[in-house]
PDB file of all heavy atoms in Angstrom:
ATOM      1  N   PRO A   9     -21.734  90.111 108.867  1.00 92.00           N
ATOM      2  CA  PRO A   9     -21.617  91.502 109.316  1.00 92.00           C
ATOM      3  C   PRO A   9     -20.140  91.816 109.529  1.00 92.00           C
ATOM      4  O   PRO A   9     -19.417  91.005 110.103  1.00 92.00           O
ATOM      5  CB  PRO A   9     -22.383  91.518 110.645  1.00 92.00           C
ATOM      6  CG  PRO A   9     -22.529  90.089 111.061  1.00 92.00           C
ATOM      7  CD  PRO A   9     -22.499  89.273 109.799  1.00 92.00           C
ATOM      8  N   SER A  30     -28.826 100.098 101.306  1.00 96.00           N
ATOM      9  CA  SER A  30     -28.359  99.429 102.523  1.00 96.00           C
ATOM     10  C   SER A  30     -29.521  99.395 103.495  1.00 96.00           C
ATOM     11  O   SER A  30     -29.929 100.431 104.030  1.00 96.00           O
ATOM     12  CB  SER A  30     -27.184 100.217 103.134  1.00 96.00           C
ATOM     13  OG  SER A  30     -27.052  99.871 104.494  1.00 96.00           O
ATOM     14  N   THR A  31     -30.060  98.197 103.721  1.00 97.00           N
ATOM     15  CA  THR A  31     -31.219  98.112 104.621  1.00 97.00           C
ATOM     16  C   THR A  31     -30.829  98.517 106.044  1.00 97.00           C
ATOM     17  O   THR A  31     -31.613  99.156 106.739  1.00 97.00           O
ATOM     18  CB  THR A  31     -31.840  96.700 104.583  1.00 97.00           C
ATOM     19  OG1 THR A  31     -30.800  95.727 104.583  1.00 97.00           O
ATOM     20  CG2 THR A  31     -32.708  96.512 103.368  1.00 97.00           C
ATOM     21  N   GLY A  32     -29.598  98.175 106.457  1.00 94.00           N
ATOM     22  CA  GLY A  32     -29.142  98.576 107.793  1.00 94.00           C
ATOM     23  C   GLY A  32     -29.150 100.103 107.932  1.00 94.00           C
ATOM     24  O   GLY A  32     -29.649 100.649 108.919  1.00 94.00           O
ATOM     25  N   ASN A  33     -28.610 100.806 106.918  1.00 93.00           N
ATOM     26  CA  ASN A  33     -28.582 102.279 106.980  1.00 93.00           C
ATOM     27  C   ASN A  33     -30.002 102.862 106.943  1.00 93.00           C
ATOM     28  O   ASN A  33     -30.304 103.833 107.645  1.00 93.00           O
ATOM     29  CB  ASN A  33     -27.773 102.861 105.818  1.00 93.00           C
ATOM     30  CG  ASN A  33     -26.273 102.683 106.024  1.00 93.00           C
ATOM     31  OD1 ASN A  33     -25.838 102.260 107.090  1.00 93.00           O
ATOM     32  ND2 ASN A  33     -25.494 102.983 105.007  1.00 93.00           N
ATOM     33  N   LEU A  35     -32.691 101.450 108.037  1.00 96.00           N
ATOM     34  CA  LEU A  35     -33.316 101.206 109.351  1.00 96.00           C
ATOM     35  C   LEU A  35     -32.764 102.162 110.411  1.00 96.00           C
ATOM     36  O   LEU A  35     -33.516 102.695 111.229  1.00 96.00           O
ATOM     37  CB  LEU A  35     -33.099  99.749 109.781  1.00 96.00           C
ATOM     38  CG  LEU A  35     -33.817  98.688 108.945  1.00 96.00           C
ATOM     39  CD1 LEU A  35     -33.305  97.288 109.288  1.00 96.00           C
ATOM     40  CD2 LEU A  35     -35.326  98.757 109.156  1.00 96.00           C
ATOM     41  N   ARG A  36     -31.436 102.392 110.372  1.00 92.00           N
ATOM     42  CA  ARG A  36     -30.852 103.327 111.356  1.00 92.00           C
ATOM     43  C   ARG A  36     -31.406 104.740 111.141  1.00 92.00           C
ATOM     44  O   ARG A  36     -31.676 105.473 112.098  1.00 92.00           O
ATOM     45  CB  ARG A  36     -29.316 103.309 111.291  1.00 92.00           C
ATOM     46  CG  ARG A  36     -28.717 102.109 112.039  1.00 92.00           C
ATOM     47  CD  ARG A  36     -27.203 102.131 112.036  1.00 92.00           C
ATOM     48  NE  ARG A  36     -26.654 101.792 110.742  1.00 92.00           N
ATOM     49  CZ  ARG A  36     -26.489 100.547 110.287  1.00 92.00           C
ATOM     50  NH1 ARG A  36     -26.802  99.535 111.045  1.00 92.00           N
ATOM     51  NH2 ARG A  36     -26.003 100.322 109.083  1.00 92.00           N
ATOM     52  N   TYR A  52     -35.071  94.728 117.670  1.00 94.00           N
ATOM     53  CA  TYR A  52     -34.415  93.621 116.957  1.00 94.00           C
ATOM     54  C   TYR A  52     -32.945  93.974 116.708  1.00 94.00           C
ATOM     55  O   TYR A  52     -32.052  93.160 116.912  1.00 94.00           O
ATOM     56  CB  TYR A  52     -35.082  93.374 115.593  1.00 94.00           C
ATOM     57  CG  TYR A  52     -36.504  92.892 115.678  1.00 94.00           C
ATOM     58  CD1 TYR A  52     -37.571  93.771 115.546  1.00 94.00           C
ATOM     59  CD2 TYR A  52     -36.779  91.540 115.892  1.00 94.00           C
ATOM     60  CE1 TYR A  52     -38.879  93.324 115.616  1.00 94.00           C
ATOM     61  CE2 TYR A  52     -38.084  91.081 115.965  1.00 94.00           C
ATOM     62  CZ  TYR A  52     -39.136  91.982 115.824  1.00 94.00           C
ATOM     63  OH  TYR A  52     -40.426  91.536 115.900  1.00 94.00           O
ATOM     64  N   MET A  53     -32.721  95.185 116.241  1.00 93.00           N
ATOM     65  CA  MET A  53     -31.360  95.573 115.862  1.00 93.00           C
ATOM     66  C   MET A  53     -30.435  95.634 117.072  1.00 93.00           C
ATOM     67  O   MET A  53     -29.305  95.161 117.017  1.00 93.00           O
ATOM     68  CB  MET A  53     -31.384  96.920 115.137  1.00 93.00           C
ATOM     69  CG  MET A  53     -32.055  96.807 113.788  1.00 93.00           C
ATOM     70  SD  MET A  53     -32.222  98.377 112.973  1.00 93.00           S
ATOM     71  CE  MET A  53     -30.563  98.722 112.451  1.00 93.00           C
ATOM     72  N   GLY A  56     -29.171  92.363 117.926  1.00 89.00           N
ATOM     73  CA  GLY A  56     -28.427  91.656 116.884  1.00 89.00           C
ATOM     74  C   GLY A  56     -29.299  90.687 116.097  1.00 89.00           C
ATOM     75  O   GLY A  56     -28.791  89.856 115.355  1.00 89.00           O
ATOM     76  N   ARG A  57     -30.632  90.798 116.273  1.00 93.00           N
ATOM     77  CA  ARG A  57     -31.531  89.874 115.556  1.00 93.00           C
ATOM     78  C   ARG A  57     -32.017  90.519 114.256  1.00 93.00           C
ATOM     79  O   ARG A  57     -31.902  91.738 114.078  1.00 93.00           O
ATOM     80  CB  ARG A  57     -32.731  89.534 116.448  1.00 93.00           C
ATOM     81  CG  ARG A  57     -32.338  88.567 117.575  1.00 93.00           C
ATOM     82  CD  ARG A  57     -33.464  88.349 118.545  1.00 93.00           C
ATOM     83  NE  ARG A  57     -33.780  89.574 119.280  1.00 93.00           N
ATOM     84  CZ  ARG A  57     -35.009  90.059 119.440  1.00 93.00           C
ATOM     85  NH1 ARG A  57     -36.053  89.460 118.925  1.00 93.00           N
ATOM     86  NH2 ARG A  57     -35.199  91.178 120.122  1.00 93.00           N
ATOM     87  N   LEU A  58     -32.607  89.702 113.382  1.00 96.00           N
ATOM     88  CA  LEU A  58     -33.104  90.238 112.118  1.00 96.00           C
ATOM     89  C   LEU A  58     -34.471  90.885 112.304  1.00 96.00           C
ATOM     90  O   LEU A  58     -35.312  90.382 113.052  1.00 96.00           O
ATOM     91  CB  LEU A  58     -33.216  89.125 111.062  1.00 96.00           C
ATOM     92  CG  LEU A  58     -31.904  88.477 110.621  1.00 96.00           C
ATOM     93  CD1 LEU A  58     -32.164  87.490 109.489  1.00 96.00           C
ATOM     94  CD2 LEU A  58     -30.886  89.521 110.179  1.00 96.00           C
ATOM     95  N   VAL A  59     -34.671  91.971 111.587  1.00 97.00           N
ATOM     96  CA  VAL A  59     -35.968  92.656 111.562  1.00 97.00           C
ATOM     97  C   VAL A  59     -36.896  91.776 110.709  1.00 97.00           C
ATOM     98  O   VAL A  59     -36.444  91.172 109.717  1.00 97.00           O
ATOM     99  CB  VAL A  59     -35.767  94.071 110.955  1.00 97.00           C
ATOM    100  CG1 VAL A  59     -37.087  94.781 110.737  1.00 97.00           C
ATOM    101  CG2 VAL A  59     -34.843  94.890 111.865  1.00 97.00           C
ATOM    102  N   ASP A  61     -39.166  89.918 108.060  1.00 97.00           N
ATOM    103  CA  ASP A  61     -39.093  89.978 106.600  1.00 97.00           C
ATOM    104  C   ASP A  61     -40.079  90.975 105.981  1.00 97.00           C
ATOM    105  O   ASP A  61     -39.721  91.714 105.073  1.00 97.00           O
ATOM    106  CB  ASP A  61     -39.381  88.580 106.005  1.00 97.00           C
ATOM    107  CG  ASP A  61     -38.216  87.627 106.213  1.00 97.00           C
ATOM    108  OD1 ASP A  61     -37.062  88.090 106.339  1.00 97.00           O
ATOM    109  OD2 ASP A  61     -38.459  86.403 106.242  1.00 97.00           O
ATOM    110  N   ILE A  64     -38.888  94.536 106.026  1.00 97.00           N
ATOM    111  CA  ILE A  64     -37.730  94.745 105.144  1.00 97.00           C
ATOM    112  C   ILE A  64     -38.159  94.726 103.678  1.00 97.00           C
ATOM    113  O   ILE A  64     -37.732  95.567 102.882  1.00 97.00           O
ATOM    114  CB  ILE A  64     -36.680  93.629 105.389  1.00 97.00           C
ATOM    115  CG1 ILE A  64     -36.166  93.674 106.825  1.00 97.00           C
ATOM    116  CG2 ILE A  64     -35.543  93.701 104.388  1.00 97.00           C
ATOM    117  CD1 ILE A  64     -35.293  94.847 107.156  1.00 97.00           C
ATOM    118  N   ASP A  84     -26.777  96.180  99.868  1.00 97.00           N
ATOM    119  CA  ASP A  84     -25.849  95.917 100.978  1.00 97.00           C
ATOM    120  C   ASP A  84     -26.683  95.469 102.180  1.00 97.00           C
ATOM    121  O   ASP A  84     -27.416  96.267 102.755  1.00 97.00           O
ATOM    122  CB  ASP A  84     -25.072  97.216 101.271  1.00 97.00           C
ATOM    123  CG  ASP A  84     -24.413  97.207 102.649  1.00 97.00           C
ATOM    124  OD1 ASP A  84     -24.245  96.128 103.247  1.00 97.00           O
ATOM    125  OD2 ASP A  84     -24.080  98.315 103.127  1.00 97.00           O
ATOM    126  N   GLY A  85     -26.599  94.184 102.522  1.00 96.00           N
ATOM    127  CA  GLY A  85     -27.344  93.693 103.695  1.00 96.00           C
ATOM    128  C   GLY A  85     -28.740  93.217 103.376  1.00 96.00           C
ATOM    129  O   GLY A  85     -29.540  92.992 104.278  1.00 96.00           O
ATOM    130  N   PHE A  86     -29.045  93.062 102.120  1.00 98.00           N
ATOM    131  CA  PHE A  86     -30.330  92.532 101.666  1.00 98.00           C
ATOM    132  C   PHE A  86     -30.075  91.692 100.423  1.00 98.00           C
ATOM    133  O   PHE A  86     -29.309  92.140  99.570  1.00 98.00           O
ATOM    134  CB  PHE A  86     -31.317  93.660 101.335  1.00 98.00           C
ATOM    135  CG  PHE A  86     -32.600  93.152 100.728  1.00 98.00           C
ATOM    136  CD1 PHE A  86     -33.670  92.796 101.537  1.00 98.00           C
ATOM    137  CD2 PHE A  86     -32.723  93.006  99.350  1.00 98.00           C
ATOM    138  CE1 PHE A  86     -34.845  92.300 100.979  1.00 98.00           C
ATOM    139  CE2 PHE A  86     -33.897  92.517  98.789  1.00 98.00           C
ATOM    140  CZ  PHE A  86     -34.959  92.164  99.608  1.00 98.00           C
ATOM    141  N   PRO A  87     -30.678  90.539 100.273  1.00 98.00           N
ATOM    142  CA  PRO A  87     -31.523  89.828 101.223  1.00 98.00           C
ATOM    143  C   PRO A  87     -30.693  89.156 102.312  1.00 98.00           C
ATOM    144  O   PRO A  87     -29.515  88.882 102.126  1.00 98.00           O
ATOM    145  CB  PRO A  87     -32.227  88.789 100.352  1.00 98.00           C
ATOM    146  CG  PRO A  87     -31.314  88.568  99.191  1.00 98.00           C
ATOM    147  CD  PRO A  87     -30.555  89.829  98.978  1.00 98.00           C
ATOM    148  N   ARG A  88     -31.334  88.894 103.435  1.00 98.00           N
ATOM    149  CA  ARG A  88     -30.663  88.211 104.538  1.00 98.00           C
ATOM    150  C   ARG A  88     -31.346  86.900 104.893  1.00 98.00           C
ATOM    151  O   ARG A  88     -30.849  86.188 105.762  1.00 98.00           O
ATOM    152  CB  ARG A  88     -30.666  89.117 105.772  1.00 98.00           C
ATOM    153  CG  ARG A  88     -29.346  89.875 106.000  1.00 98.00           C
ATOM    154  CD  ARG A  88     -29.540  90.738 107.219  1.00 98.00           C
ATOM    155  NE  ARG A  88     -28.345  91.127 107.897  1.00 98.00           N
ATOM    156  CZ  ARG A  88     -27.743  92.297 107.769  1.00 98.00           C
ATOM    157  NH1 ARG A  88     -28.156  93.163 106.875  1.00 98.00           N
ATOM    158  NH2 ARG A  88     -26.716  92.601 108.512  1.00 98.00           N
ATOM    159  N   GLN A  92     -36.650  86.684 101.903  1.00 98.00           N
ATOM    160  CA  GLN A  92     -36.342  87.990 101.282  1.00 98.00           C
ATOM    161  C   GLN A  92     -35.832  87.791  99.847  1.00 98.00           C
ATOM    162  O   GLN A  92     -36.180  88.549  98.936  1.00 98.00           O
ATOM    163  CB  GLN A  92     -35.307  88.755 102.110  1.00 98.00           C
ATOM    164  CG  GLN A  92     -35.830  89.214 103.466  1.00 98.00           C
ATOM    165  CD  GLN A  92     -34.787  89.938 104.300  1.00 98.00           C
ATOM    166  OE1 GLN A  92     -33.760  90.378 103.797  1.00 98.00           O
ATOM    167  NE2 GLN A  92     -35.052  90.066 105.587  1.00 98.00           N
ATOM    168  N   ARG A 122     -14.354  98.725 114.671  1.00 91.00           N
ATOM    169  CA  ARG A 122     -15.195  99.465 113.723  1.00 91.00           C
ATOM    170  C   ARG A 122     -15.722 100.752 114.358  1.00 91.00           C
ATOM    171  O   ARG A 122     -16.165 100.755 115.502  1.00 91.00           O
ATOM    172  CB  ARG A 122     -16.349  98.588 113.253  1.00 91.00           C
ATOM    173  CG  ARG A 122     -17.206  99.291 112.219  1.00 91.00           C
ATOM    174  CD  ARG A 122     -17.811  98.348 111.252  1.00 91.00           C
ATOM    175  NE  ARG A 122     -19.076  97.811 111.701  1.00 91.00           N
ATOM    176  CZ  ARG A 122     -19.909  97.162 110.896  1.00 91.00           C
ATOM    177  NH1 ARG A 122     -19.614  96.973 109.638  1.00 91.00           N
ATOM    178  NH2 ARG A 122     -21.032  96.693 111.368  1.00 91.00           N
ATOM    179  N   ARG A 155     -21.329 101.499 117.088  1.00 87.00           N
ATOM    180  CA  ARG A 155     -22.727 101.064 117.038  1.00 87.00           C
ATOM    181  C   ARG A 155     -22.999 100.069 118.160  1.00 87.00           C
ATOM    182  O   ARG A 155     -22.155  99.242 118.462  1.00 87.00           O
ATOM    183  CB  ARG A 155     -23.002 100.373 115.701  1.00 87.00           C
ATOM    184  CG  ARG A 155     -23.509 101.310 114.650  1.00 87.00           C
ATOM    185  CD  ARG A 155     -23.424 100.726 113.277  1.00 87.00           C
ATOM    186  NE  ARG A 155     -23.971  99.378 113.154  1.00 87.00           N
ATOM    187  CZ  ARG A 155     -23.988  98.693 112.006  1.00 87.00           C
ATOM    188  NH1 ARG A 155     -23.486  99.242 110.907  1.00 87.00           N
ATOM    189  NH2 ARG A 155     -24.479  97.487 111.953  1.00 87.00           N
ATOM    190  N   ASP A 157     -24.816  97.526 118.135  1.00 85.00           N
ATOM    191  CA  ASP A 157     -24.770  96.125 117.699  1.00 85.00           C
ATOM    192  C   ASP A 157     -23.365  95.694 117.266  1.00 85.00           C
ATOM    193  O   ASP A 157     -23.178  94.582 116.789  1.00 85.00           O
ATOM    194  CB  ASP A 157     -25.817  95.833 116.615  1.00 85.00           C
ATOM    195  CG  ASP A 157     -25.666  96.685 115.377  1.00 85.00           C
ATOM    196  OD1 ASP A 157     -24.859  97.628 115.393  1.00 85.00           O
ATOM    197  OD2 ASP A 157     -26.352  96.398 114.384  1.00 85.00           O
ATOM    198  N   ARG A 166     -25.006  88.106 116.118  1.00 93.00           N
ATOM    199  CA  ARG A 166     -25.185  88.442 114.693  1.00 93.00           C
ATOM    200  C   ARG A 166     -24.509  87.397 113.809  1.00 93.00           C
ATOM    201  O   ARG A 166     -25.029  87.036 112.753  1.00 93.00           O
ATOM    202  CB  ARG A 166     -24.626  89.838 114.407  1.00 93.00           C
ATOM    203  CG  ARG A 166     -25.431  90.929 115.081  1.00 93.00           C
ATOM    204  CD  ARG A 166     -24.767  92.268 114.927  1.00 93.00           C
ATOM    205  NE  ARG A 166     -24.893  92.788 113.577  1.00 93.00           N
ATOM    206  CZ  ARG A 166     -24.160  93.775 113.089  1.00 93.00           C
ATOM    207  NH1 ARG A 166     -23.241  94.346 113.837  1.00 93.00           N
ATOM    208  NH2 ARG A 166     -24.346  94.197 111.872  1.00 93.00           N
TER     209      ARG A 166
HETATM  210  P1  AMP B 301     -26.221  96.046 108.879  1.00 69.91           P
HETATM  211  O1  AMP B 301     -25.925  97.491 108.979  1.00 69.91           O
HETATM  212  O2  AMP B 301     -26.459  95.585 107.461  1.00 69.91           O
HETATM  213  O3  AMP B 301     -25.193  95.180 109.572  1.00 69.91           O
HETATM  214  O4  AMP B 301     -27.609  95.805 109.635  1.00 69.91           O
HETATM  215  C1  AMP B 301     -27.766  96.123 110.998  1.00 69.91           C
HETATM  216  C2  AMP B 301     -28.999  95.442 111.558  1.00 69.91           C
HETATM  217  O5  AMP B 301     -30.159  95.863 110.838  1.00 69.91           O
HETATM  218  C3  AMP B 301     -28.999  93.911 111.427  1.00 69.91           C
HETATM  219  O6  AMP B 301     -28.294  93.269 112.472  1.00 69.91           O
HETATM  220  C4  AMP B 301     -30.516  93.634 111.496  1.00 69.91           C
HETATM  221  O7  AMP B 301     -31.007  93.750 112.813  1.00 69.91           O
HETATM  222  C5  AMP B 301     -31.090  94.797 110.687  1.00 69.91           C
HETATM  223  N1  AMP B 301     -31.173  94.470 109.243  1.00 69.91           N
HETATM  224  C6  AMP B 301     -30.488  95.055 108.216  1.00 69.91           C
HETATM  225  N2  AMP B 301     -30.810  94.511 107.042  1.00 69.91           N
HETATM  226  C7  AMP B 301     -31.715  93.534 107.312  1.00 69.91           C
HETATM  227  C8  AMP B 301     -32.403  92.584 106.517  1.00 69.91           C
HETATM  228  N3  AMP B 301     -32.235  92.520 105.180  1.00 69.91           N
HETATM  229  N4  AMP B 301     -33.270  91.742 107.147  1.00 69.91           N
HETATM  230  C9  AMP B 301     -33.469  91.798 108.481  1.00 69.91           C
HETATM  231  N5  AMP B 301     -32.829  92.643 109.286  1.00 69.91           N
HETATM  232  C10 AMP B 301     -31.961  93.519 108.722  1.00 69.91           C
END
Side-chain angles (χ1 to χ4, degrees):
S30 159
T31 42
N33 285 352
L35 293 169
R36 280 183 287 278
Y52 295 98
M53 292 175 74
R57 286 174 294 132
L58 295 185
V59 173
D61 287 334
I64 298 290
D84 162 18
F86 174 89
R88 261 178 157 99
Q92 292 178 16
R122 183 149 87 166
R155 268 165 49 180
D157 59 351
R166 292 173 74 196

